[in-house]
Amino acid sequence: MQVTRIEDARLYEAPGHFAMTGLRLQDHEASDAESFWVGLSHFLPGGGADSSASNIEKVYVVLSGEVTVVTDDGETTLKAHDSCRLAPGERREIVNRTNQPASMLAIMPYPRTV
């Protein structure tokens, strides 16, 4: 078993994110995870991520607060313990529209290399 203590988690910069602090909980730097990584994102009020898509699926789990996830099909607000899956290629935007911070886990596979 490999444990990452929150006080030992490393900060990371996520391109296209704003008013957000990210911590890597499991990945090549924090553990021997080979097929996925887990990040903890803390979004300030008004914080979020620009609209973008990637070729990997993603799972988001809101731990506290609320975030709104906007896709080409519409938008939904996720509250504590809600989760969503985004398919490969699905465009998404994230925004914290509240006046309270929000925390969310991001779980995703490493991009495949061919």
Side-chain angles (χ1 to χ4, degrees), residues 37-97:
W37 67 272
V38 179
L40 174 60
S41 301
H42 297 295
F43 294 98
L44 291 175
D50 296 331
S51 181
S52 68
S54 68
N55 62 352
I56 58 173
E57 71 180 330
K58 300 175 177 93
V59 172
Y60 296 143
V61 181
V62 174
L63 301 177
S64 64
E66 298 180 9
V67 296
T68 300
V69 180
V70 182
T71 68
D72 292 339
D73 294 328
E75 65 179 58
T76 190
T77 298
L78 302 175
K79 298 180 181 185
H81 307 127
D82 292 343
S83 63
C84 70
R85 175 205 176 253
L86 296 165
E90 186 172 9
R91 182 169 296 283
R92 66 85 181 108
E93 175 184 352
I94 300 168
V95 61
N96 177 358
R97 293 182 176 153

